[in-house]
Amino acid sequence: MSPANHYKKTEKTIIRRVLAFLGVIFKAVGRFFAKVYQTGKQRFTIMLIPHSEKSIFNFRVSVFSLIFSGFLLGGVVVSFLLFSTRFSGLSRLVDQKETALEDSRSNIEAIREEITELKKVSKTFEASLKTTMSTFGVKGDVKAASVLDGGDLSSFFDVQEQSEGIGRELSELRSLREFLEQSSDDLLRVSDIMSSQGDLLVELPTLWPVEGGVGRITNYFGPEIHPFTGQWYLHKGIDIAFRRGKPIVAAANGKVVERKYDAMGFGNYVVIRHPYGFATKYAHMDTVYVEEGDVVTQGQKIGTMGNTGLSTGPHVHFEVRIGSQVVDPERFLNVKSDLR
């Protein structure tokens, strides 16, 4: 037999076997579905027998009907469970929203109280600002904070008037903001004046020459009886007594022009020249920290209180001169006190 005929015979054999196998499978599947169909067509009689003498109620149902009813009942149960779960979630969400709304109402009520207090504070601030501006001679139109009067949040929770209530409160807050902005400009002008005065004060001998503002005046400016000669003389400054070693500070910005020791007079003393023709002297010092030519600033330590020269106890003799004329130092020391 030729190879070609052999291959054809083998091919036909394989095809017959495959077709036979498929036929067996199809027959088995057909028998299965036929059996299922026959089983599903089977009917059952369900009888409901009452405990009374009424007639018996019965009905017949197939397996397919029971299966369909089971699926239907399962679907209903699953749907009910899903709906219940969703309803519970929505209920919790509603509860959370209600709680948040109550919190918001409480917060808004607190804001309302704060706005009321803000009105009171703004009125007090307005009065204080007017007084301050008047004291420094600053002209300005301070608008009354009464623009906030009459504000009320009572309609805030009224749905019909909610927009109107919010608009009114926002308008009042804008008015307050404008008032504070204008007040800031006025305060800046006052600050500029105070700054310029502060710059002037550090160049004038207005600072108490004993550190910490301590000490007491034992001798004042003017005619006095000399403690050693017993004769009348002009006391050209003031004597401030305290304990030995207490730091002495410069009364104003300036330059040290003299640092000497006078055994029969001022002992260790320092003279500082200031702007505008002023000069100050610090005498009877125990130690001196500065030298001639040093530039000092107001409040800088220049030495310590002592009892050098002709002195009856630890103190500092403090003089103020304008040009060649001595003046009462208290006039200048009171300047800063009056501005505090």
Side-chain angles (χ1 to χ4, degrees):
M1 180 181 294
S2 65
N5 292 332
H6 178 73
Y7 289 144
K8 287 182 179 180
K9 184 177 180 180
T10 303
E11 181 180 353
K12 290 179 180 179
T13 302
I14 293 173
I15 291 174
R16 282 198 305 270
R17 290 180 179 178
V18 170
L19 290 177
F21 178 75
L22 291 176
V24 171
I25 291 176
F26 285 141
K27 288 179 180 179
V29 172
R31 285 195 300 270
F32 172 77
F33 281 107
K35 187 175 182 180
V36 170
Y37 177 72
Q38 292 296 328
T39 303
K41 286 179 62 178
Q42 293 181 0
R43 294 178 177 273
F44 298 90
T45 301
I46 299 176
M47 302 180 65
L48 300 178
I49 304 175
H51 290 281
S52 62
E53 295 181 355
K54 294 181 179 180
S55 59
I56 298 174
F57 178 78
N58 59 80
F59 60 93
R60 302 179 70 184
V61 61
S62 64
V63 174
F64 285 141
S65 298
L66 288 176
I67 294 174
F68 176 75
S69 299
F71 277 112
L72 182 61
L73 180 60
V76 171
V77 171
V78 171
S79 300
F80 176 77
L81 293 176
L82 292 176
F83 177 78
S84 298
T85 303
R86 183 173 180 80
F87 179 79
S88 299
L90 291 175
S91 179
R92 286 194 298 270
L93 181 61
V94 170
D95 291 340
Q96 292 174 359
K97 294 297 183 182
E98 289 180 352
T99 302
L101 180 59
E102 290 297 330
D103 292 341
S104 299
R105 288 178 177 176
S106 300
N107 292 335
I108 291 174
E109 185 63 27
I111 293 174
R112 176 184 177 183
E113 294 176 358
E114 290 296 331
I115 291 177
T116 301
E117 292 299 321
L118 186 59
K119 295 176 188 178
K120 298 178 182 178
V121 174
S122 63
K123 290 180 180 179
T124 304
F125 174 74
E126 176 195 354
S128 300
L129 181 59
K130 285 183 177 179
T131 302
T132 302
M133 293 177 63
S134 176
T135 301
F136 287 95
V138 179
K139 295 182 180 180
D141 181 19
V142 182
K143 294 182 180 180
S146 57
V147 293
L148 291 176
D149 289 342
D152 189 6
L153 288 174
S154 58
S155 62
F156 191 85
F157 299 113
D158 190 336
V159 177
Q160 297 180 351
E161 300 179 4
Q162 183 173 358
S163 299
E164 179 182 353
I166 294 175
R168 182 166 58 252
E169 296 301 325
L170 289 177
S171 176
E172 292 172 353
L173 290 176
R174 290 193 189 99
S175 299
L176 177 61
R177 177 179 56 81
E178 294 172 358
F179 165 71
L180 292 177
E181 287 176 350
Q182 180 183 356
S183 299
S184 298
D185 296 335
D186 295 332
L187 287 174
L188 284 175
R189 284 188 285 173
V190 173
S191 176
D192 291 340
I193 292 175
M194 297 225 21
S195 177
S196 62
Q197 290 190 356
D199 293 341
L200 176 63
L201 289 178
V202 297
E203 295 183 341
L204 297 179
T206 58
L207 183 66
W208 188 260
V210 182
E211 185 183 52
V214 298
R216 63 185 181 88
I217 299 177
T218 54
N219 282 323
Y220 291 86
F221 177 85
E224 290 281 349
I225 296 178
H226 200 283
F228 293 98
T229 65
Q231 301 295 321
W232 284 94
Y233 79 110
L234 177 63
H235 191 236
K236 298 180 180 180
I238 60 174
D239 291 341
I240 304 173
F242 201 69
R243 68 171 181 270
R244 181 181 176 183
K246 183 65 177 179
I248 304 300
V249 297
N253 295 347
K255 182 178 181 180
V256 178
V257 296
E258 193 173 349
R259 178 198 186 281
K260 293 184 178 179
Y261 176 75
D262 180 11
M264 299 305 295
F266 292 117
N268 289 318
Y269 71 91
V270 169
V271 177
I272 300 176
R273 186 173 63 237
H274 309 286
Y276 312 111
F278 286 91
T280 52
K281 177 184 280 190
Y282 312 80
H284 304 295
M285 300 170 69
D286 187 52
T287 55
V288 180
Y289 298 151
V290 293
E291 301 290 341
E292 291 184 6
D294 288 350
V295 176
V296 297
T297 58
Q298 188 180 62
Q300 178 179 334
K301 297 178 183 179
I302 59 175
T304 60
M305 185 177 294
N307 191 29
T308 58
L310 292 180
S311 172
T312 59
H315 74 284
V316 59
H317 174 81
F318 178 62
E319 289 184 13
V320 175
R321 292 178 176 268
I322 301 179
S324 60
Q325 300 296 319
V326 291
V327 294
D328 187 356
E330 285 192 278
R331 295 182 179 179
F332 296 93
L333 296 177
N334 288 335
V335 171
K336 199 161 221 181
S337 298
D338 293 339
L339 292 178
R340 287 177 184 172

